[in-house]
Amino acid sequence: MSEPISTQGPTATPGPTTASGPAGPADLRARAAQLDAADALAGLRDRFSLPEGVVYLDGNSLGALPAAVADRTADVVTREWGELLIRSWDESAWWTAPERIGDKLAPLVGAAPGQVVVGDSTSVNLFKALVGAARLAQAARPGRTRMLVDAATFPTDGYIAASAARMTGLTVTPVDPSHAGDAMDADTAVVLLNHVDYRTGRLHDLAGLTAAARAAGAVVVWDLCHSAGALPVGLDEHGVDLAVGCTYKYLNGGPGAPAYLYIADRHQAAFDSPLPGWNGHAEPFAMNPGYVPADGARRGRVGTPDILSMLALESALDAWDGVCVEAVRAKSLALTDFFLACVAEYVPPGRVESVTPVRHAHRGSQVSLRTENAREVMAELIARGVVGDFRAPDVLRFGFTPLYVGFADAERAARTLGHIFG
């Protein structure tokens, strides 16, 4: 549901004012400067290579380049591949990269070591997770027939869910995540939900919906593409069964960076992947004709790891050294609050409408604004150095990555939007 922009919502930051009335551009710029000066995370921007003069608010589609990645990638290509050649599978630890990088990523999604494996795309990992979840559910409670799927999910998730359901004899039932708990019953085998809606930025209740699925005896799979790296997830804390996510958005792993699969420790021995590749075999180099899955999350591996992009991701994750996800979340909310306040001040009334929830408990790390001619408006913003993106038919999306986005960026983006409508 759309929510009109308000600077006086229950948790929104009140719009800046002066003694004589609402704030003007100078006041908002001054406030942005104050907030940036007080920002404990501001120095993290130096860990990224960003074009001069560009406000980059599309990290929810492709994260910025971490500064160390270029040199690390060059070393992988010239030395590890170019000089060591095949020896690097052992000497450069290429072979163990999927689990090693999984353990490095795990704290960002609230997982203990040994439960995350990196590799393949989100779509491939989702297929593994959904079929694996169905097999877990059917083994534990035979006869269940339904797979509940977020009705507003990213299209590929829906395509994969339909295929997984056909393969496992389940029927897909679309559900509004806000009411998914009410839809879970004794016939529900699997539940697939997005932590954050990709179009609106709405944050769904992972803890509550996971508990509801567990109470119903269903196996839950979460898509974390738009939440990992932007806010605390708490997979272990909340008893999530399976989860997938990409690494090229808020985790800044690069275009086409490998995704990840989380298999809770309690499910690993019984997890039956529908893609039993040689890399997930207990003895991959024995070349046995029969498949025996490896122990742990490693059974989620399929084929040869994509080493170049995987090691670029490993370097990119160094940008998180010493960073507290809770602090990132606090800054994200402050940034989006301030951006909404600036939009309300700069943009003429009635020209845009927020489809992103005002309440912090329901907001991810993006702001989506509905407007007429949205495609043309976004093209003009980009031409003026403010990079967001467009989603059909009428949505402007602005992603706020707290590691490198500041309050002056938010103010400039809103001011530029106001100039376009002015």
Side-chain angles (χ1 to χ4, degrees):
M1 178 179 295
S2 300
E3 299 188 27
I5 288 178
S6 169
T7 58
Q8 299 295 335
T11 54
T13 299
T17 60
T18 67
S20 59
D27 301 301
L28 288 171
R29 290 187 204 182
R31 178 59 179 152
Q34 292 171 352
L35 291 167
D36 281 330
D39 176 18
L41 302 183
L44 297 176
R45 189 183 183 104
D46 294 338
R47 299 184 182 184
F48 295 85
S49 298
L50 289 158
E52 189 69 29
V54 171
V55 173
Y56 189 65
L57 301 181
D58 208 9
N60 52 326
S61 285
L62 176 65
L65 171 66
V69 169
D71 287 346
R72 173 62 179 133
T73 302
D75 182 64
V76 172
V77 171
T78 59
R79 183 181 61 85
E80 294 186 6
W81 178 14
E83 297 176 14
L84 296 179
L85 297 166
I86 201 168
R87 293 160 52 195
S88 273
W89 284 106
D90 292 321
E91 295 180 26
S92 301
W94 286 1
W95 183 258
T96 57
E99 297 80 47
R100 181 179 73 247
I101 302 171
D103 285 347
K104 189 171 184 175
L105 186 154
L108 299 178
V109 293
Q115 299 177 99
V116 178
V117 63
V118 171
D120 303 312
S121 67
T122 305
S123 298
V124 172
N125 283 322
L126 182 62
F127 181 71
K128 300 175 203 172
L130 286 175
V131 174
R135 289 172 175 173
L136 288 170
Q138 290 165 336
R141 298 171 181 82
R144 296 194 174 203
T145 65
R146 291 205 305 160
M147 177 186 293
L148 301 186
V149 177
D150 183 342
T153 192
F154 189 76
T156 295
D157 284 23
Y159 309 153
I160 296 293
S163 178
R166 289 194 301 272
M167 176 177 285
T168 56
L170 301 179
T171 299
V172 170
T173 301
V175 61
D176 179 344
S178 299
H179 306 292
D182 297 333
M184 299 176 196
D185 58 22
D187 196 33
T188 303
V190 177
V191 180
L192 168 63
L193 297 168
N194 291 271
H195 197 190
V196 173
D197 186 281
Y198 79 98
R199 183 181 287 106
T200 67
R202 175 176 288 274
L203 172 66
H204 297 299
D205 182 8
L206 182 144
L209 290 170
T210 298
R214 186 164 56 248
V219 178
V220 66
V221 179
W222 283 94
D223 183 329
L224 308 178
C225 285
H226 288 268
S227 60
L231 52 90
V233 176
L235 294 178
D236 287 352
E237 176 186 358
H238 301 305
V240 169
D241 298 307
L242 301 162
V244 301
C246 64
T247 62
Y248 51 78
K249 300 182 191 296
Y250 296 109
L251 296 175
N252 310 297
Y260 56 92
L261 170 66
Y262 165 87
I263 309 172
D265 183 73
R266 65 187 179 280
H267 291 309
Q268 290 177 1
F271 183 78
D272 182 7
S273 173
L275 296 174
W278 77 284
N279 255 244
H281 195 286
E283 297 182 273
F285 292 100
M287 303 301 172
N288 293 322
Y291 182 73
V292 178
D295 292 334
R298 188 160 67 89
R299 65 180 54 198
R301 292 174 63 156
V302 184
T304 304
D306 40 355
I307 290 298
L308 298 183
S309 58
M310 189 167 291
L311 297 186
L313 168 63
E314 183 173 34
S315 178
L317 291 173
D318 288 342
W320 286 90
D321 287 352
V323 178
C324 170
V325 178
E326 287 74 17
V328 169
R329 174 61 169 164
K331 181 177 175 181
S332 164
L333 292 172
L335 279 168
T336 49
D337 277 345
F338 184 65
F339 177 69
L340 285 169
C342 290
V343 169
E345 184 62 38
Y346 287 136
V347 177
R351 300 303 301 272
V352 298
E353 180 184 27
S354 176
V355 296
T356 300
V358 171
R359 293 183 58 193
H360 288 177
H362 297 159
R363 189 195 308 165
S365 197
Q366 76 182 54
V367 173
S368 295
L369 304 177
R370 178 175 290 140
T371 187
E372 294 182 358
N373 303 315
R375 183 189 296 274
E376 292 75 16
V377 171
M378 182 52 69
E380 183 61 24
L381 278 168
I382 293 172
R384 299 187 187 201
V386 176
V387 181
D389 68 13
F390 158 79
R391 286 292 179 268
D394 57 3
V395 173
L396 308 171
R397 294 197 317 168
F398 302 93
F400 291 82
T401 305
L403 299 189
Y404 54 78
V405 173
F407 293 90
D409 296 322
E411 187 276 335
R412 178 182 159 192
R415 177 162 38 90
T416 304
L417 185 63
H419 287 164
I420 292 171
F421 285 114

